[in-house]
Amino acid sequence: MPEYGYFLAAEEHDPAALIEQARMAEQAGFQALWISDHYHPWNDAQGQSAFVWSVIGALSQAVSLPIETAVTCPTVRIHPAVLAQAAATSAVLTEGRFRLGVGSGEALNEHILGDPWPPAGVRLEMLEEAVEVMRRLFTGEEVSHHGKHYTVENARLYTVPDEPVPIDVSAFGPKALSLAARVGDGFITMMPDEEAVRRFREGGGGTKPVSGGTKVCYGTDRDECVRTVHRLWYNELLPGEMGQVLPSPRHFEQLHELVTEDMVREKVVCGDDVEQHVSTLRAFADAGFDRVYVNQIGPDQRGFFDFYRTKVLPRLAG
């Protein structure tokens, strides 16, 4: 039986709203939290993008749920030695209930300082080295590192948790999946892909946790839910590598017309059909996932949490 968590969308909600959603999630019976880590939203309609580490500090005092970033890119925008300090402090604040989810990132967030955006293979190479650097720093010992992509000199984290911060690796392609199996403390993906879970476990992941996430739009008017998704999160349905290589929200907005409301209606759970919500989450359980996170798109957060507390989560526990 997987654990079911709530996915906080920092691109769509301001910090106060995220904290209130976390409280509602805990009250509704969700068992954990994901939170996105972005510099920009995907489009201006989403409209937010707070500094995730400040929000995590507030969440640590507002709720008792485990918290994980989904996901942080530790390679370009922020040096892995600095992210290691942020993650270690978050783990101390949450009394060990923090996991660091990492991935190879998107140009949307990572190119902002004018650094080149490397090809996928190089990004994975950088990710592996970044994980190595952070793991060494989590020991609390002094670290000097002179690698291909990163240099660290005489760095030591004085505020560290009793146990090193677990690092879960996000992966969508075979090379990234191989990396996750080799160096991750867990595997993150956004599709209920049974074959990916099998390859992770057989490739070295063993019994390490596999986490997945999905987005839905609860509401009593299905057509209005479809319009909400189409307005705010059409980027989820864009094909190929565009999500990794487009550099600004306006570029995503230029592609809005590629996604139709019919595509949303087909691909995203919209409305208040309990069975649709349950079956979407059960697909992850059937594929072998250990943790499943769901995000509510749009403003009706209270309605969503009431719906899941009374109708969806009890079915999943049965």
Side-chain angles (χ1 to χ4, degrees):
M1 179 71 67
E3 293 182 349
Y4 292 95
Y6 187 69
F7 189 176
L8 297 164
E11 307 95 319
E12 191 186 335
H13 302 281
D14 67 26
L18 294 170
I19 293 161
E20 180 58 24
Q21 288 167 26
R23 290 193 180 105
M24 289 191 289
E26 187 166 39
Q27 293 165 1
F30 285 97
Q31 298 165 287
L33 297 172
W34 264 2
I35 184 167
S36 54
D37 180 1
H38 268 234
Y39 194 88
H40 294 133
W42 295 97
N43 55 67
D44 281 1
Q46 292 174 356
Q48 296 289 332
S49 203
F51 188 57
V52 71
W53 304 104
S54 300
V55 180
I56 289 170
L59 289 170
S60 74
Q61 306 305 297
V63 297
S64 62
L65 297 177
I67 303 167
E68 179 166 16
T69 55
V71 295
T72 293
C73 179
T75 60
V76 178
R77 170 169 47 107
I78 304 179
H79 193 285
V82 178
L83 282 173
Q85 185 182 30
T89 299
S90 297
V92 170
L93 281 169
T94 58
E95 299 179 333
R97 292 177 284 108
F98 178 76
R99 299 179 76 91
L100 178 62
V102 300
S104 59
E106 303 96 11
L108 176 70
N109 303 302
E110 303 305 318
H111 86 295
I112 59 168
L113 302 179
D115 299 288
W117 184 236
V122 176
R123 300 202 305 270
L124 290 175
E125 189 178 82
M126 295 171 73
L127 179 60
E128 183 167 4
E129 186 177 338
V131 169
E132 176 190 351
V133 167
M134 292 188 292
R135 283 229 172 90
R136 290 179 62 192
L137 286 164
F138 289 154
T139 66
E141 299 174 359
E142 184 176 295
V143 172
S144 291
H145 171 90
H146 298 274
K148 182 175 180 180
H149 300 287
Y150 303 106
T151 298
V152 179
E153 291 189 353
N154 308 117
R156 178 185 172 191
L157 297 183
Y158 281 79
T159 301
V160 293
D162 293 337
E163 299 293 332
V165 179
I167 301 176
D168 298 337
V169 177
S170 172
F172 298 98
K175 291 182 180 179
L177 184 54
S178 175
L179 175 65
R182 187 170 70 254
V183 308
D185 293 311
F187 167 44
I188 292 172
T189 190
M190 296 299 288
M191 295 292 291
D193 188 338
E194 185 175 3
E195 176 62 15
V197 174
R198 184 190 66 78
R199 291 176 62 184
F200 170 75
R201 300 210 182 282
E202 294 180 356
T207 60
K208 295 174 182 177
V210 176
S211 301
T214 190
K215 291 182 179 294
V216 303
C217 187
Y218 162 79
T220 56
D221 184 334
R222 185 167 187 251
D223 289 338
E224 179 59 29
C225 290
V226 168
R227 288 190 290 270
T228 297
V229 176
H230 187 252
R231 178 173 60 86
L232 293 173
W233 285 93
Y234 58 87
N235 58 283
E236 291 277 304
L237 300 179
L238 291 174
E241 296 182 68
M242 286 185 281
Q244 285 71 53
V245 300
L246 294 178
S248 76
R250 73 175 179 273
H251 290 100
F252 285 91
E253 289 164 1
Q254 290 167 9
L255 301 180
H256 192 178
E257 64 185 23
L258 296 181
V259 178
T260 66
E261 290 187 5
D262 284 342
M263 291 168 64
V264 170
R265 193 172 281 104
E266 179 183 352
K267 298 291 186 180
V268 181
V269 175
C270 293
D272 59 355
D273 184 322
V274 176
E275 189 55 44
Q276 278 194 326
H277 286 264
V278 169
S279 62
T280 295
L281 298 186
R282 275 192 177 151
F284 286 91
D286 293 343
F289 283 69
D290 301 290
R291 295 166 185 159
V292 186
Y293 296 81
V294 60
N295 168 255
Q296 161 70 358
I297 293 172
D300 190 6
Q301 297 291 319
R302 173 62 69 184
F304 165 86
F305 285 114
D306 287 345
F307 178 67
Y308 266 65
R309 175 179 55 83
T310 59
K311 297 184 177 180
V312 178
L313 292 179
R315 286 276 302 277
L316 293 168

